[in-house]
Amino acid sequence: MSAARWLLAGVLAGATALASAQQALDPNSVVNAGVAATKLLDEGRYAEIWDGASAAMKKVAAKAQFVDAVGKARQAAGATAPTERVWIDVWRRDEAGSAQLPAGVYMNVTYRTVFAKGLVARELVSFRLDEDKTWRFTGYVLN
């Protein structure tokens, strides 16, 4: 699997977590949390994202693998700071589970992103309802 298509795992720290399961999950909050996550990625803060990862997602990729894969994906795409990032869609997915993706409920948002060097790409940001009933960032794909 290429670095650009690697499913990446991590969580947003503190205030950027989405919402507890008891709260209604507004699609706008998913879009906004995705923007917060991509901002951390734009700033190269890959290790910081991984540090807060759920235990389930840390099983998918070790910290060094995560940091390396994100860095390579962004570098291969020439992904400098974006000049435009617009969400395209938001959807929920109930996953039965596989070797690459733990079972659970996921929310995903796709962005059409234009990077400073002119690259137009799609970014997929995923969130998972963790065992503690908190929505957290769990994946990123750039293609």
Side-chain angles (χ1 to χ4, degrees):
M1 179 183 297
S2 74
R5 302 213 32 99
W6 181 272
L7 179 64
L8 305 171
V11 290
L12 298 175
T16 57
L18 280 176
S20 73
Q22 290 78 21
Q23 297 172 343
L25 186 60
D26 173 21
N28 287 321
S29 65
V30 178
V31 170
N32 292 336
V35 169
T38 56
K39 183 177 186 316
L40 290 174
L41 294 168
D42 293 343
E43 295 170 357
R45 296 165 62 183
Y46 318 137
E48 183 178 329
I49 293 172
W50 191 92
D51 285 341
S54 69
M57 295 311 296
K58 285 185 176 181
K59 293 177 185 176
V60 175
K63 184 176 185 175
Q65 290 174 308
F66 176 83
V67 170
D68 185 58
V70 175
K72 285 181 180 176
R74 305 263 314 180
Q75 183 179 23
T80 56
T83 58
E84 178 182 334
R85 182 176 278 131
V86 178
W87 71 273
I88 298 170
D89 56 23
V90 176
W91 75 99
R92 175 188 161 140
R93 177 178 176 181
D94 295 321
E95 178 62 43
S98 68
Q100 290 293 317
L101 193 64
V105 179
Y106 293 80
M107 292 291 292
N108 305 287
V109 60
T110 304
Y111 299 91
R112 178 187 177 276
T113 305
V114 179
F115 290 97
K117 292 184 180 177
L119 170 75
V120 178
R122 287 188 184 235
E123 293 178 291
L124 171 69
V125 180
S126 298
F127 298 89
R128 180 178 186 264
L129 182 60
D130 264 346
E131 290 74 16
D132 67 356
K133 306 300 183 202
T134 299
W135 288 96
R136 290 191 174 89
F137 175 88
T138 58
Y140 174 76
V141 177
L142 171 66
N143 59 13

